[in-house]
Amino acid sequence: MSRIHQTAIIEQGATIGDRVSVGPFCHIGSEAVIGDDVELLSQVVVMGPTTLASGSKVYPNAVLGGDPQNTKHKGGYTTLVIGKNCVIREGVTMHRGTDGSRGITTIGDNCMFLAYSHVAHDCVIGDNVTFSNNVMIGGHVTIGNNVIIGGGAGIHQFVRVGHHAFIGGLAALASDLVPYGMAIGNHAYLHGLNIVGMKRSGMARPEIHNLRHAVRMLFDRTKPIKNRAEDVRLAFPDSPAVTDLVGFITTDTKRAYCTPPLDSAIEISDSDDNS
């Protein structure tokens, strides 16, 4: 049986799963779909065609499924889909897609959005992603699996962030960040690889070494990065991780790539790595 507080408003037409808990002063719109075992603590607003999958927990004052903050949106039918077992903390906002673009904002499974973070329209967020407090991402941003974003960081619209990447606190990222990349600074630059994240994911040591050498080759500035990508592919034909990295580079994008500063070499070292 679901537990609905007497002060909560659930509009007719909303779909509520089993064992759902809806706390005081929550407001669930008529087009919302709330999965099994979801917990809305209090004063949570779920607007429009928003799906919140099973096992997720939403804290007070979060607003999910608001209209996109985009003047090109004309009020058409768009959606927000949030995956399973997500934790959405106080004051988080997530907007639906726009009717002139993807039309859907998607959030993967097992994600954590800390207080006052924001997901804009038409974004694609992978699984196991962490937004620290006050992270802001613009529209059409794509974030891969297992990405961690530090507090107060901002990501420009249309930027792609590869899987297992790390973005430092207060960073302003306006360029695509390669898988396993680590970006810091304002504006953010490529500081190296997320070695800790690669180890945590179980990546074998030889693959870590392959990526280290591949990234040095990609960003050595002797050629444009997309030309260097083919050299890297040929140099590491048997490395799945490098093949994945090259695939990211050769995919069409609206943004430039996050690179090391002009006056410094890329740093790939890590204090925990004894290789």
Side-chain angles (χ1 to χ4, degrees):
M1 296 290 293
S2 294
R3 295 178 288 116
I4 312 296
H5 193 274
Q6 60 184 358
T7 62
I9 297 174
I10 301 179
E11 296 182 6
Q12 185 175 359
T15 301
I16 306 297
D18 295 330
R19 302 173 300 280
V20 171
S21 175
V22 181
F25 303 105
C26 291
H27 187 168
I28 301 175
S30 62
E31 298 176 284
V33 177
I34 309 298
D36 297 342
D37 302 299
V38 166
E39 185 176 1
L40 310 181
L41 292 185
S42 68
Q43 297 174 303
V44 174
V45 177
V46 183
M47 304 172 63
T50 295
T51 297
L52 183 58
S54 62
S56 293
K57 186 173 184 178
V58 186
Y59 284 73
N61 300 309
V63 180
L64 308 178
D67 292 340
Q69 296 177 145
N70 187 321
T71 57
K72 295 180 180 179
H73 180 68
K74 303 304 180 184
Y77 182 88
T78 61
T79 60
L80 166 66
V81 177
I82 302 170
K84 299 177 182 178
N85 303 316
C86 289
V87 175
I88 301 172
R89 295 301 304 250
E90 296 84 353
V92 170
T93 52
M94 298 181 180
H95 292 169
R96 304 191 317 275
T98 54
D99 50 17
S101 183
R102 293 185 67 244
I104 180 172
T105 301
T106 55
I107 312 293
D109 298 336
N110 306 307
C111 293
M112 178 174 286
F113 298 87
L114 300 190
Y116 302 102
S117 54
H118 172 69
V119 178
H121 57 87
D122 302 294
C123 289
V124 180
I125 311 298
D127 299 333
N128 307 305
V129 171
T130 299
F131 280 39
S132 299
N133 291 39
N134 299 298
V135 167
M136 305 165 289
I137 67 171
H140 311 276
V141 168
T142 299
I143 296 180
N145 297 335
N146 302 292
V147 170
I148 297 175
I149 307 175
I155 301 179
H156 195 282
Q157 63 188 18
F158 291 103
V159 162
R160 297 180 302 144
V161 177
H163 58 82
H164 293 87
F166 177 85
I167 301 170
L170 300 177
L173 183 65
S175 305
D176 287 355
L177 179 60
V178 295
Y180 306 103
M182 180 168 60
I184 62 175
N186 186 354
H187 280 47
Y189 62 89
L190 186 65
H191 181 68
L193 289 176
N194 183 15
I195 302 294
V196 172
M198 288 190 280
K199 289 178 178 179
R200 287 175 178 171
S201 71
M203 179 176 286
R205 184 176 296 272
E207 280 290 72
I208 293 176
H209 284 300
N210 288 338
L211 281 173
R212 281 177 156 173
H213 294 297
V215 167
R216 286 195 182 100
M217 289 179 64
L218 277 171
F219 296 103
D220 73 352
R221 303 188 187 281
T222 60
K223 297 180 182 179
I225 185 172
K226 287 199 173 184
N227 293 346
R228 292 294 287 163
E230 179 62 16
D231 297 337
V232 170
R233 186 186 67 80
L234 293 174
F236 300 92
D238 300 320
S239 171
V242 173
T243 299
D244 176 59
L245 177 68
V246 170
F248 184 92
I249 293 294
T250 55
T251 299
D252 289 338
T253 177
K254 294 176 180 285
R255 308 298 302 175
Y257 292 96
C258 185
T259 62
L262 288 172
D263 57 352
S264 66
I266 190 167
E267 299 178 28
I268 310 293
S269 62
D270 182 82
S271 59
D272 292 331
D273 185 59
N274 297 318
S275 56

